[in-house]
Amino acid sequence: MAPSRDSNVKEESNQVSYKKDINTKTDRIIQTRKHANDIFDVIEYLQSEKEKEIIFATNACSKIFCELLDRGDIYVGELPKEEDLMHGDRSAEEKYHIFMRHRYNSCVELLLENISHEAFQVKETSLCALMKFVAAEGKHPLQNLDWCEHYNFPRELILALVKHLLSEIEDMSLLISRFQEFMEKDDVRYYVMSSVRDNIARVMGKNKRDVIPLYQNNVFTLLSTINIPGQASEMTNFLVKQEKKHEDWKAARLKEHKRAFEQMWLVFLKYKLPSSMYKKILVILHESILPQMGDPTMMIDFLSAAYDIGGAISLLALNGLFVLIHEHNLDYPDFYRKLYNLLDPSIFHVKYRARFFHLANIFLSSTHLPVYLVAAFVKRLARLSLTAPPTALLILLPFICNLIRRHPSCKVLIHKPSAAEEPCDDPYVMEEKDPAQCHALESSLWEIKTLQKHYHPDVAKAAMIINEPLSEQEDDISVLLELSTFELMEREVKAERKTIPLEFDTATELLKSSREVLGVHFSLE
Amino acid sequence: MRKQQKLSSGLSDKVRKSKAAPEIQKNPFEVKINRKKFDVLGRKSKHDVGLPGVSRSRANQKRKDTLLKEFRLKGKNNKFVDRRFGEYDSKITPEDKILQRFTLERQRTHDRKDMFNLNEEEELTHYGQSLAEMEKMADVIDSDSDSEEKGLLSAELTASHFGGGGGLLRMKSAGDEEEQHKPKSRQELIQELIIKSKREKRERQTQKEEAQELTEKLDQDWRSIQNLLAHKTPRAERKDEDDKPRMEEYDVMVRELGFEMKAQPSEKLKSSEELAREERLRLQTLEADRLKRMMGDAEGESALTHTHISADDINDGFILDGDERKTLAYKDGKWNIEEEREEEEGGEEEHEAAAEDEDEVEDDDDDESEEEEEEDRDDDLQSDEEEEGRDEEEAVSDEEQRRAVQEAARAELPYTFTAPETYRDLQSLLQGHSSGQQRLILDRTITCHHPSLASGNKAKLQRLFGFLLEYVGELASQNPPDLRTVNLLIPQICSLCQLFPEAACKAVQMLLSDSAHSMEETLEVKGRAPMPDLDMLVLLKITALLFPTSDFRHPVTTPAFLYISQALSKCVVVSLEDAIKGLILCCLALEFVSLSKRFFPELMNFLLGLLHLTVPDKSNTGYAVLSPFRQQGKNFDLLVLTDPNASQSWSRKPVSLHTAVRSPAEREHCRLSLVDSCLDLVKRCTSLYKDLPSYTHIFQPIRTLLLDHLPVALYPSCTQDLHREILDAIPETPSQHAPLVFKKKKPIPLKLFTPKIVEILDYGKKRGNTKEEKERERLKHKHKREFKGALREIRKDTRFLAREKLNDIMSRDSERKRKVKELFGSLANQEGEWKALKRKKMK
């Protein structure tokens, strides 16, 4: 017990000591140039093993250098090498400035390294410190640049920061979400976007077009957080104020922003993506990417490629395609044929079922579609319904009925009095890829008849509708789209019942009832 | 005047009066036919034939009787009203009228109590006392009164004196009538009467005197014998006493007969409450005894009880107190022994043998070993306690005896239990008991808290059901699960469920939706969920036992269906255990739909997926497996046989619900069992769904799999048989069906106006919709009609009166004319006479 107490005391004293140490040194550095060498000790703390020390030191560093930058105590322009410092005939003042510039550079390097530190707090403070440097440098540029050509913004620093943010070996999503705060500044966002573009091109080019899931994930996280304001007038929030020619500054123009955004995404999508990434992108594509792009039609290639992949990715690509077709006049050949071939048993089991039905409902809402096409869709959906879960069936059945209502010529599918009473094979060919050739119109919806015996009462009821002529009014399926099994269950549980019927022959054993199946195959032992 | 009237009444009246009514009706000149313009169906007309002459004369007559009389009396102040009874009543016949008048007259006179009405029927009084009574008393003192007649006048007398009323005359006897035949002078009659009455008076006086004498004599006689009577009274009393016993005997007999047991009605069937109460009482008494024995103060009672002969007594003479031995006896009409249980104990105590050795378990379900264990434990405890509180002076034998009793008591289960308030209570109540005992405990708890016994019991038992389900869940999730106990508890759960269907429904629903909710959450977070645990599977099975699964919609089974569906389509199969659980779910699903034959797509998908796991080569299949299975991926050869020889050592037998497969051989066997069960389920499905129109489409993927991909050759022969049977059951080509048509609807009948039924209150045109309005209309109409009728009547009256007046005037005029003529005539005569005289004079 005693030793541990001792160590506690030591730790405490240690804590106090490092705080005091850093504080006093910071104060001395800021106050007099005599103690300039103390900066080495402070910077050393950045490499400490203890998180608290690093954090404390980081804060101290940001304080020192911001102060120095404000004062103009840091050398501006082409930086001579440190070794050359002694030889050149420079004033002490200049020497001091150069020295401090070197310290500043090493400090920035260490901070960038700390962004990859394992502790999130260290990462966060490093990020904040760096962003303070960005702001300070923006005010007091370290380069002597031609004012007409360039605007003072520390692009190198941002580039380095982005490079470290988009790590290839670590998931940075937490830090990126913290970084999002800084990207509310329009100029930061603009330069980040261009930096990201450069970074992707560099990293992916280096990797020879292989997927790098972690890196791409980080990029995606960063990209998806970028939000461009809708109107130019909203762009007033800048980290660095430009005194001159503010209007001509690229970072201040919405068009430039959009272009940067577009290029960034296109570069990102140019390379091969893991399929989960595809899904993620496609999910947000129509809502947060396409509207922010300068020219959404640039995405056509990507979407067509995604649509051809098949499965869930195709389903998701539908949404983006729809936006393009609908708003940007895209002419997509064989769209309905592809849509028809998208229908396979798995569509009822995937997560994006609601989205698919929503879109399919829109695509098939036109009354100018040929009858054979609608009939093919109806028949195929009916066939697929034989394997669908009840939640999907509750959407599917009204959906089919709606299609038949919209296209009264499809009524033959559920009502064919001319050939009544004559048994026939189902002429429909499930394997046929072309909806025109599948003979759907000659068939009948026996599958719906089968579903009238479904175990779920609501499904059975919905299937019963085809027994009688359909009403004129279409069913609203939008309320059913997001229905989950649990909700169905809750609905059943909440319903008020007057009586609860019971099994009349009371059981005596667990595995012994009048219709035992479980007991045949399993025993209690 | 008479002549005049006759003239005015008209000829027709005269004719009508003279002729009989039918004759008139037949006379075509009298009859007026009211011609009908239209024949209205259903209308009964009363007035198609009228007799105007008859009705006119009737009306005329009526007016003459009423209006004319009034007219004549007009302006006259006095009028004569005859108030005699029935004077104006034409309905009463004259005879009746007279009779009634007579009776009324009689009543009036009777009421007046006329002193001078000397009728025999009437009672005469003097100073409010009946005179007849006075006479009968024959007061001695009053005997001298010489009022001769005492107001007693005979009818004859009055008749002769006053001539009598009409009524009295009729009452005359026949004899009187004879006398009346001989005419007598009035003088004679009075003489006769006086003599007669004097004679009668004398006779009465003598009679009275005689009676007086006789009574006095009798009185004297009575006094002389009165003493004798007084002496004899005690003897009479004794005589009574003698009589008494005899009477009692009789009375007793009567009473006995009265009180004798009648044929008693057989004892009525006890209601469930009574039964429960009795059962509880029994359990309570037993519990009280048990507690007593446990406390160790059974001595006092044993002194009383051990004297009884046990049923098990072998009569070996080993009785401590032989003198007190009692025979079977009744006490207060009750059998004077305790219940069997008591006897047994008595026997035990008598034997003084070690109680541990005896199997004194009264419940057949009790697990012996368990109980012994417990006894041992109790023994230890007990002995410790004993050691501490041992009384050195006590005899060792006594001590042992007591201990034995206590142990026996401890080993027994209590007879009453408090209902558990929380789940922990139930747990502590049941823990440490064998499954049989647990069942017994539950049984007793339920009996003690039958809802009819106390008001709070219902809620307690309802809660108990919930706890019980929870407990069953806990038993099933133990490692290894205690499914035997669950099995034994099923009847209790069932009976509780029967008692409270609502509570049971709520409890099962809650468990299901809780589990479904957690599954939903894991699904949202991870995208996939693990298979439900054994407790949920057991709960689903219990659900199927408690509630009907064949209902179209049921508050419990429909959610259960959805739960199974969710599990079968969302829960991943990553191990053999998962596959077993999945198969259990399939069995349950099949059981759920086996009666209703409802279609369960998830079941088919899952079976296909399971069979897909057995296929070694998973590329290029002709079917698609669905969630939760994948065409290819991790664990995709979970059921592929690794050892081709495993089928030889395998035999078909039920798999345990909770197998933990370890060794490779076991794994192989488990795989074979799974495939076998799977195929059996598919076979059951084929027979279940073969009537569905899409039967072949549903089974097509399974058929392809079985036909082309399943490694049948590796499986034992019985599995191969199953495989063949399934393939036989699924036809290759889809069966033919007639195209769908809508249900034939009944032709919709033409729209017709339903007849509006209006209640007719009065015939004729009436408008108005509501009842009040109709009534109003009707009254208005009636009023109008009445008003018109009244007007017509008034007009007729005035016409009648005018005619009468005219008649009067005319008759008066003719009279005057006649008189004037007469006068003129006489004047002319006078004139003529005078002229003649004058002429004579002249001459």
Side-chain angles (χ1 to χ4, degrees):
Chain A
M1 280 219 172
S4 81
R5 213 173 276 160
D6 263 4
S7 73
N8 267 358
V9 171
K10 257 185 203 169
E11 261 174 39
E12 267 170 42
S13 63
N14 213 5
Q15 207 172 2
V16 174
S17 70
Y18 84 76
K19 274 189 184 174
K20 207 186 266 173
D21 189 28
I22 293 175
N23 274 339
T24 50
K25 279 175 181 165
T26 308
D27 289 344
R28 278 197 297 195
I29 293 165
I30 293 173
Q31 277 160 12
T32 55
R33 294 178 180 179
K34 245 199 303 190
H35 300 286
N37 275 330
D38 284 348
I39 193 82
F40 283 112
D41 298 337
V42 178
I43 288 175
E44 207 171 301
Y45 272 115
L46 289 177
Q47 287 164 303
S48 159
E49 303 210 332
K50 285 173 186 152
E51 294 164 19
K52 282 180 184 168
E53 288 183 18
I54 302 177
I55 293 166
F56 207 80
T58 312
N59 288 334
C61 281
S62 82
K63 194 177 164 190
I64 293 168
F65 288 112
C66 285
E67 181 68 33
L68 291 178
L69 276 167
D70 257 358
R71 280 194 220 153
D73 278 353
I74 290 178
Y75 184 77
V76 176
E78 197 79 13
L79 184 67
K81 281 186 180 156
E82 203 155 19
E83 293 82 43
D84 300 342
L85 200 60
M86 295 300 120
H87 309 298
D89 48 346
R90 294 165 202 267
S91 65
E93 174 99 13
E94 206 172 356
K95 278 181 185 169
Y96 173 73
H97 285 179
I98 293 170
F99 170 77
M100 271 308 173
R101 177 74 187 276
H102 278 289
R103 297 291 77 73
Y104 172 69
N105 282 358
S106 60
C107 172
V108 165
E109 258 168 52
L110 283 173
L111 286 180
L112 285 172
E113 269 170 39
N114 274 346
I115 281 191
S116 312
H117 196 274
E118 60 260 14
F120 177 69
Q121 285 213 306
V122 176
K123 288 181 182 185
E124 197 185 346
T125 26
S126 308
L127 182 72
C128 292
L130 283 169
M131 287 316 288
K132 269 183 196 162
F133 289 160
V134 170
E137 272 193 59
K139 262 184 216 162
H140 312 282
L142 293 178
Q143 257 84 17
N144 270 326
L145 295 166
D146 187 353
W147 289 104
C148 305
E149 294 289 318
H150 296 280
Y151 295 89
N152 49 347
F153 196 87
R155 285 158 71 188
E156 273 81 27
L157 193 54
I158 286 285
L159 192 63
L161 183 62
V162 165
K163 185 188 160 199
H164 280 89
L165 265 181
L166 301 177
S167 161
E168 291 170 44
I169 43 169
E170 201 185 346
D171 182 18
M172 302 292 271
S173 49
L174 260 178
L175 197 61
I176 289 170
S177 62
R178 179 78 177 80
F179 187 59
Q180 194 181 356
E181 195 181 289
F182 297 107
M183 282 202 291
E184 278 167 19
K185 308 280 182 191
D186 293 308
D187 46 355
V188 176
R189 185 171 57 237
Y190 178 74
Y191 287 109
V192 165
M193 285 195 289
S194 53
S195 317
V196 166
R197 187 187 63 208
D198 295 348
N199 187 268
I200 295 170
R202 193 175 50 77
V203 174
M204 296 307 286
K206 196 173 70 191
N207 269 285
K208 305 223 170 73
R209 299 181 169 265
D210 264 351
V211 287
I212 319 164
L214 265 175
Y215 172 73
Q216 280 170 325
N217 203 24
N218 284 333
V219 175
F220 176 74
T221 323
L222 184 60
L223 259 54
S224 59
T225 53
I226 293 174
N227 208 353
I228 296 175
Q231 282 169 339
S233 57
E234 287 172 33
M235 299 188 43
T236 50
N237 192 1
F238 295 100
L239 187 70
V240 180
K241 291 278 182 292
Q242 305 292 339
E243 285 92 21
K244 294 177 191 171
K245 289 189 182 177
H246 178 78
E247 292 77 31
D248 292 345
W249 193 28
K250 279 184 176 179
R253 288 199 306 216
L254 183 64
K255 210 175 156 190
E256 293 298 327
H257 271 264
K258 285 201 166 182
R259 185 190 283 166
F261 184 82
E262 188 180 295
Q263 279 173 350
M264 171 183 78
W265 270 107
L266 285 176
V267 167
F268 179 56
L269 298 177
K270 200 167 79 183
Y271 299 97
K272 197 180 170 189
L273 298 166
S275 67
S276 62
M277 183 59 62
Y278 252 119
K279 283 182 194 166
K280 276 187 192 168
I281 294 166
L282 288 170
V283 165
I284 63 160
L285 185 75
H286 69 287
E287 270 176 2
S288 43
I289 303 177
L290 285 181
Q292 299 188 21
M293 286 175 79
D295 185 9
T297 46
M298 304 282 267
M299 292 298 257
I300 286 175
D301 287 340
F302 171 71
L303 282 173
S304 318
Y307 191 42
D308 289 338
I309 288 175
I313 292 174
S314 301
L315 285 186
L316 290 170
L318 265 183
N319 215 334
L321 273 181
F322 171 71
V323 174
L324 291 185
I325 293 170
H326 186 234
E327 287 166 19
H328 302 284
N329 225 359
L330 173 72
D331 185 21
Y332 196 90
D334 285 339
F335 177 76
Y336 281 102
R337 193 183 156 158
K338 279 191 178 159
L339 185 64
Y340 177 74
N341 286 311
L342 264 186
L343 300 177
D344 68 1
S346 62
I347 56 162
F348 298 120
H349 294 271
V350 291
K351 247 198 290 186
Y352 315 107
R353 182 178 64 203
R355 185 193 287 252
F356 172 75
F357 272 107
H358 171 70
L359 290 172
N361 194 26
I362 292 170
F363 293 144
L364 294 172
S365 59
S366 163
T367 46
H368 298 293
L369 294 175
V371 184
Y372 76 87
L373 188 75
V374 178
F377 271 99
V378 167
K379 180 66 187 176
R380 193 170 178 92
L381 285 173
R383 183 61 65 80
L384 296 180
S385 72
L386 288 179
T387 55
T391 42
L393 286 174
L394 285 178
I395 309 169
L396 191 58
L397 290 169
F399 185 69
I400 288 175
C401 291
N402 281 353
L403 285 183
I404 296 174
R405 281 188 190 116
R406 270 175 223 159
H407 304 274
S409 337
C410 286
K411 212 177 82 176
V412 286
L413 287 173
I414 52 170
H415 182 59
K416 198 177 277 179
S418 58
E421 303 295 315
E422 281 175 42
C424 61
D425 290 332
D426 195 346
Y428 175 69
V429 188
M430 183 78 172
E431 290 74 27
E432 178 60 52
K433 297 267 181 209
D434 186 0
Q437 308 287 318
C438 65
H439 303 288
L441 262 182
E442 294 148 43
S443 181
S444 262
L445 298 182
W446 289 291
E447 292 83 4
I448 310 289
K449 194 99 189 158
T450 306
L451 286 180
Q452 291 179 358
K453 289 286 279 178
H454 195 271
Y455 66 88
H456 195 270
D458 292 341
V459 174
K461 261 188 199 163
M464 293 288 187
I465 292 177
I466 64 149
N467 281 349
E468 268 149 42
L470 297 174
S471 58
E472 290 290 311
Q473 193 65 40
E474 284 193 16
D475 298 323
D476 182 19
I477 63 164
S478 59
V479 287
L480 298 166
L481 285 175
E482 298 289 347
L483 197 67
S484 74
T485 316
F486 181 66
E487 278 165 14
L488 262 187
M489 207 157 154
E490 282 292 288
R491 207 199 274 172
E492 215 52 53
V493 168
K494 297 256 167 68
E496 282 293 315
R497 296 271 157 58
K498 272 181 196 148
T499 56
I500 292 132
L502 295 176
E503 188 69 59
F504 53 85
D505 47 348
T506 50
T508 51
E509 279 181 48
L510 189 61
L511 296 183
K512 201 183 251 180
S513 65
S514 47
R515 297 172 294 280
E516 190 62 50
V517 181
L518 189 62
V520 176
H521 298 287
F522 293 93
S523 67
L524 289 175
E525 287 308 302
Chain B
M1 189 88 166
R2 210 178 149 92
K3 205 177 172 184
Q4 290 281 330
Q5 266 188 345
K6 260 185 188 171
L7 274 167
S8 71
S9 64
L11 201 66
S12 64
D13 286 2
K14 209 165 66 183
V15 171
R16 248 170 260 122
K17 270 177 190 166
S18 61
K19 283 180 181 169
E23 216 172 315
I24 294 166
Q25 278 186 356
K26 273 175 201 163
N27 183 1
F29 296 104
E30 281 286 354
V31 173
K32 186 194 180 244
I33 294 170
N34 294 320
R35 194 170 60 86
K36 269 190 261 177
K37 276 185 177 168
F38 314 104
D39 254 339
V40 178
L41 204 67
R43 177 188 282 178
K44 285 178 216 160
S45 68
K46 292 179 198 164
H47 310 293
D48 49 352
V49 175
L51 299 168
V54 176
S55 56
R56 195 183 300 125
S57 71
R58 200 181 293 140
N60 230 339
Q61 187 58 47
K62 206 176 173 186
R63 286 206 174 80
K64 254 179 222 164
D65 288 347
T66 54
L67 194 64
L68 194 62
K69 265 184 191 165
E70 228 173 290
F71 178 68
R72 297 268 179 252
L73 288 173
K74 203 170 87 175
K76 287 178 175 128
N77 281 333
N78 297 324
K79 60 181 176 181
F80 176 74
V81 182
D82 195 346
R83 288 196 188 275
R84 282 175 303 165
F85 175 81
E87 188 51 40
Y88 298 108
D89 200 346
S90 52
K91 281 173 193 163
I92 306 170
T93 54
E95 289 81 36
D96 279 347
K97 213 185 271 180
I98 289 161
L99 210 67
Q100 283 284 337
R101 280 179 188 167
F102 171 66
T103 47
L104 279 172
E105 185 72 16
R106 284 292 302 276
Q107 273 170 6
R108 203 165 54 234
T109 51
H110 179 75
D111 286 346
R112 226 179 274 151
K113 294 202 168 136
D114 197 344
M115 244 195 186
F116 305 104
N117 188 357
L118 303 173
N119 216 328
E120 278 131 344
E121 299 148 31
E122 277 158 32
E123 196 178 35
L124 301 175
T125 54
H126 181 64
Y127 289 112
Q129 284 174 321
S130 172
L131 290 175
E133 293 272 304
M134 282 180 177
E135 253 178 79
K136 274 171 199 164
M137 275 173 67
D139 216 342
V140 192
I141 311 140
D142 241 41
S143 59
D144 286 351
S145 80
D146 47 2
S147 65
E148 282 189 355
E149 281 156 359
K150 279 186 183 173
L152 263 177
L153 296 177
S154 69
E156 296 96 296
L157 189 71
T158 22
S160 53
H161 277 218
F162 307 108
L168 287 172
L169 280 172
R170 275 188 202 167
M171 306 288 280
K172 273 179 184 168
S173 62
D176 288 342
E177 275 173 37
E178 272 173 45
E179 270 185 352
Q180 265 186 340
H181 290 301
K182 294 179 251 173
K184 279 177 184 171
S185 69
R186 196 174 165 82
Q187 285 281 306
E188 275 176 329
L189 274 171
I190 289 167
Q191 280 295 324
E192 223 175 55
L193 277 171
I194 291 168
I195 292 160
K196 206 178 173 183
S197 61
K198 280 195 175 170
R199 191 176 59 223
E200 275 173 4
K201 191 186 169 185
R202 216 175 296 126
E203 274 172 12
R204 275 203 295 277
Q205 209 143 14
T206 50
Q207 263 180 8
K208 215 181 266 173
E209 274 167 7
E210 275 172 16
Q212 192 70 34
E213 275 175 12
L214 276 169
T215 44
E216 276 172 17
K217 196 189 167 193
L218 189 66
D219 277 359
Q220 279 172 354
D221 284 352
W222 168 243
R223 261 174 223 126
S224 63
I225 59 166
Q226 206 171 15
N227 292 339
L228 293 172
L229 280 167
H231 282 293
K232 273 171 189 173
T233 38
R235 206 193 294 164
E237 274 174 18
R238 207 184 300 148
K239 215 176 187 178
D240 279 352
E241 237 175 23
D242 286 344
D243 281 349
K244 220 180 175 180
R246 195 151 44 95
M247 282 299 285
E248 228 169 43
E249 206 176 336
Y250 171 75
D251 271 352
V252 166
M253 287 275 276
V254 168
R255 253 170 232 158
E256 270 180 356
L257 282 171
F259 286 117
E260 198 179 60
M261 286 275 269
K262 282 168 193 145
Q264 289 278 336
S266 61
E267 209 159 60
K268 66 166 181 171
L269 284 176
K270 280 168 185 160
S271 70
S272 59
E273 289 106 281
E274 282 171 346
L275 279 176
R277 196 177 298 121
E278 279 179 13
E279 182 71 7
R280 192 180 67 143
L281 272 176
R282 194 181 72 89
L283 291 179
Q284 266 177 347
T285 49
L286 288 174
E287 162 71 354
D289 286 348
R290 195 198 70 87
L291 275 177
K292 246 186 227 164
R293 276 179 280 117
M294 197 172 78
M295 298 307 281
D297 48 14
E299 255 90 351
E301 206 173 33
S302 73
L304 279 172
T305 52
H306 75 286
T307 52
H308 300 307
I309 298 169
S310 157
D312 295 334
D313 200 350
I314 45 169
N315 267 330
D316 53 357
F318 193 79
I319 298 163
L320 287 176
D321 300 310
D323 299 344
E324 281 180 24
R325 180 175 167 172
K326 278 179 193 166
T327 49
L328 205 67
Y330 290 90
K331 191 198 221 170
D332 298 328
K334 275 191 168 180
W335 205 3
N336 198 8
I337 51 163
E338 314 285 336
E339 285 178 50
E340 260 191 7
R341 173 88 218 104
E342 221 51 57
E343 282 183 276
E344 243 178 64
E345 240 113 89
E348 276 163 38
E349 283 161 45
E350 275 172 9
H351 288 300
E352 277 192 12
E356 290 111 301
D357 299 340
E358 282 208 16
D359 186 13
E360 49 100 70
V361 186
E362 79 277 48
D363 307 295
D364 32 4
D365 325 51
D366 273 10
D367 192 343
E368 266 191 33
S369 63
E370 179 77 28
E371 191 167 313
E372 266 169 25
E373 226 175 82
E374 207 174 281
E375 276 179 77
D376 290 345
R377 207 185 57 216
D378 287 341
D379 199 10
D380 296 342
L381 265 170
Q382 191 67 33
S383 56
D384 285 350
E385 284 170 19
E386 293 306 308
E387 236 96 74
E388 277 172 17
R390 166 167 278 174
D391 195 350
E392 293 292 330
E393 286 144 45
E394 252 183 27
V396 180
S397 62
D398 275 65
E399 180 79 354
E400 274 181 359
Q401 191 183 334
R402 228 178 67 187
R403 268 177 59 190
V405 174
Q406 283 175 343
E407 278 153 18
R410 286 201 174 213
E412 264 174 55
L413 284 173
Y415 289 93
T416 56
F417 294 90
T418 50
E421 292 295 321
T422 61
Y423 175 58
R424 294 275 144 242
D425 288 353
L426 180 77
Q427 242 182 347
S428 54
L429 191 64
L430 296 179
Q431 249 164 15
H433 292 280
S434 71
S435 35
Q437 277 176 324
Q438 291 185 14
R439 178 191 202 159
L440 204 68
I441 289 170
L442 278 179
D443 243 351
R444 288 179 180 172
T445 314
I446 294 168
T447 327
C448 286
H449 297 87
H450 193 272
S452 54
L453 295 175
S455 57
N457 281 351
K458 196 175 168 190
K460 280 181 192 166
L461 286 191
Q462 283 176 347
R463 253 175 285 146
L464 179 65
F465 183 84
F467 300 148
L468 211 52
L469 283 186
E470 220 174 305
Y471 183 66
V472 164
E474 197 194 271
L475 287 178
S477 44
Q478 278 169 6
N479 195 20
D482 190 2
L483 292 177
R484 290 225 153 271
T485 311
V486 174
N487 193 21
L488 280 172
L489 295 183
I490 291 294
Q492 272 66 41
I493 294 175
C494 280
S495 61
L496 271 181
C497 178
Q498 299 279 349
L499 275 177
F500 315 106
E502 282 86 10
C505 167
K506 281 265 145 44
V508 179
Q509 275 179 344
M510 211 172 69
L511 286 176
L512 279 175
S513 79
D514 279 357
S515 180
H517 185 66
S518 61
M519 196 196 284
E520 186 89 359
E521 274 179 351
T522 17
L523 270 176
E524 260 168 36
V525 176
K526 291 182 190 164
R528 307 232 143 178
M531 274 285 170
D533 288 326
L534 192 60
D535 55 339
M536 275 319 286
L537 302 180
V538 168
L539 178 72
L540 285 171
K541 177 67 197 173
I542 291 175
T543 307
L545 293 178
L546 297 181
F547 301 103
T549 53
S550 53
D551 285 16
F552 181 68
R553 196 188 278 276
H554 189 279
V556 182
T557 50
T558 308
F561 263 120
L562 284 170
Y563 184 83
I564 295 178
S565 149
Q566 176 86 329
L568 283 181
S569 56
K570 292 282 159 60
C571 295
V572 281
V573 175
V574 291
S575 65
L576 269 182
E577 283 76 18
D578 284 342
I580 289 175
K581 279 177 186 168
L583 203 62
I584 292 172
L585 278 173
C586 287
C587 287
L588 285 171
L590 200 60
E591 224 171 282
F592 271 48
V593 296
S594 55
L595 190 70
S596 55
K597 298 198 172 181
R598 295 191 190 284
F599 179 44
F600 209 134
E602 291 85 340
L603 171 66
M604 305 311 304
N605 293 347
F606 197 86
L607 287 176
L608 177 73
L610 269 186
L611 287 173
H612 180 66
L613 293 182
T614 66
V615 176
D617 177 24
K618 292 196 166 53
S619 57
N620 205 8
T621 52
Y623 54 86
V625 289
L626 286 169
S627 164
F629 299 97
R630 293 179 182 190
Q631 207 74 14
Q632 284 174 330
K634 279 189 288 182
N635 308 307
F636 67 100
D637 47 4
L638 201 63
L639 294 181
V640 178
L641 286 184
T642 49
D643 180 12
N645 300 321
S647 62
Q648 281 151 19
S649 57
W650 180 81
S651 63
R652 187 185 279 176
K653 63 173 186 290
V655 188
S656 164
L657 281 174
H658 51 90
T659 330
V661 198
R662 284 178 193 89
S663 72
E666 270 181 11
R667 291 183 79 84
E668 284 302 290
H669 283 179
C670 182
R671 279 178 188 137
L672 283 171
S673 300
L674 274 175
V675 171
D676 187 62
S677 303
C678 212
L679 286 177
D680 182 62
L681 291 185
V682 171
K683 201 185 133 217
R684 283 168 191 265
C685 284
T686 55
S687 62
L688 210 59
Y689 294 146
K690 67 171 176 291
D691 294 330
L692 292 181
S694 304
Y695 172 64
T696 40
H697 291 129
I698 293 166
F699 284 92
Q700 205 54 49
I702 289 183
R703 186 173 191 282
T704 320
L705 192 151
L706 293 183
L707 198 65
D708 301 335
H709 301 285
L710 195 74
V712 199
L714 294 176
Y715 295 131
S717 57
C718 54
T719 314
Q720 286 181 10
D721 289 344
L722 264 180
H723 175 251
R724 202 175 319 110
E725 279 169 30
I726 295 167
L727 284 183
D728 289 344
I730 310 171
E732 194 174 359
T733 52
S735 52
Q736 295 192 326
H737 293 282
L740 296 180
V741 281
F742 293 142
K743 257 186 202 165
K744 278 202 182 106
K745 280 206 292 188
K746 275 185 199 164
I748 301 165
L750 286 172
K751 268 194 181 172
L752 295 173
F753 292 111
T754 47
K756 188 180 177 186
I757 294 164
V758 184
E759 195 187 354
I760 296 170
L761 297 164
D762 209 348
Y763 283 103
K765 256 193 275 174
K766 249 135 280 160
R767 289 189 179 77
N769 300 319
T770 62
K771 205 170 179 184
E772 289 87 64
E773 252 177 87
K774 274 183 215 159
E775 179 70 13
R776 201 180 137 77
E777 285 295 317
R778 192 182 66 84
L779 288 176
K780 232 183 206 170
H781 178 77
K782 205 169 179 181
H783 166 255
K784 199 172 166 188
R785 232 171 33 182
E786 290 292 319
F787 184 73
K788 276 179 167 176
L791 266 184
R792 207 159 43 225
E793 286 300 304
I794 289 167
R795 272 188 208 118
K796 278 182 184 168
D797 281 356
T798 37
R799 216 178 289 146
F800 173 79
L801 278 180
R803 201 165 55 228
E804 285 300 315
K805 274 180 192 163
L806 188 67
N807 279 341
D808 281 359
I809 289 165
M810 278 170 72
S811 64
R812 254 198 329 260
D813 280 0
S814 59
E815 184 86 343
R816 195 173 53 89
K817 268 181 189 166
R818 189 181 53 80
K819 278 183 176 166
V820 168
K821 254 182 190 170
E822 240 171 53
L823 278 175
F824 273 123
S826 69
L827 278 178
N829 279 345
Q830 265 183 10
E831 186 76 13
E833 278 172 13
W834 179 71
K835 274 185 178 167
L837 203 73
K838 204 172 144 183
R839 235 179 276 140
K840 264 179 196 177
K841 271 181 186 171
M842 294 284 280
K843 275 168 194 181

